[in-house]
Structures are given as structure tokens and as C-alpha cells.
Amino acid sequence: MRTLRPGLPKRVDGVPAADWSHRGRPKAVITFAVHRQKITRIAIDTAPDRLHDLHIAYLSAGGKGRR
């Protein structure tokens, strides 16, 4: 049985996000709208055609993105 492990913080098209990937390919992207340091909206996208076109930047602990 596999367990989920928290991933690195991400930005998808510049928006704070998380993702679920299988074999290195994103299967779902969860984006968060933040206003005044509170999450005000959560959206989950699983459409393969939209996931293929997204730019996912993995953030290091210092907040700098890497591809």
C-alpha cells in the first residue's frame, strides 16, 4: 500500500497550487485563491487537455521556482 506524501509547494500559471501526479505526469491540479492571507477559493482540475497546457513551477524552501 502506498501512502501520499506532501509535495513541494507549487505555482500553476502563477497561482498557488498542489498537484497529484502518477508516474511523473499531473493527473489533478488543485489551485488556491488567496485574499488577505486566507484561502478564499479552491479549484480542482482533472481535464487532461487543460493539464497538458499548464506551466507547473516547483518552489524550493526559499520560494524560488524551478522547473
Side-chain angles (χ1 to χ4, degrees):
M1 183 170 145
R2 293 183 184 182
T3 59
L4 292 175
R5 295 182 185 177
L8 292 172
K10 298 167 187 70
R11 287 198 177 265
V12 175
D13 291 341
V15 176
D19 74 334
W20 175 73
S21 296
H22 180 68
R23 295 185 180 183
R25 304 190 86 172
K27 299 296 181 183
V29 171
I30 303 108
T31 56
F32 305 93
V34 179
H35 181 69
R36 296 185 183 172
Q37 299 182 342
K38 292 186 179 187
I39 296 172
T40 57
R41 180 173 167 247
I42 299 172
I44 301 172
D45 193 350
T46 59
D49 57 325
R50 286 193 299 267
L51 294 176
H52 178 49
D53 294 334
L54 294 175
H55 172 73
I56 300 174
Y58 297 86
L59 304 176
S60 66
K64 295 181 180 177
R66 67 178 175 89
R67 290 184 177 186

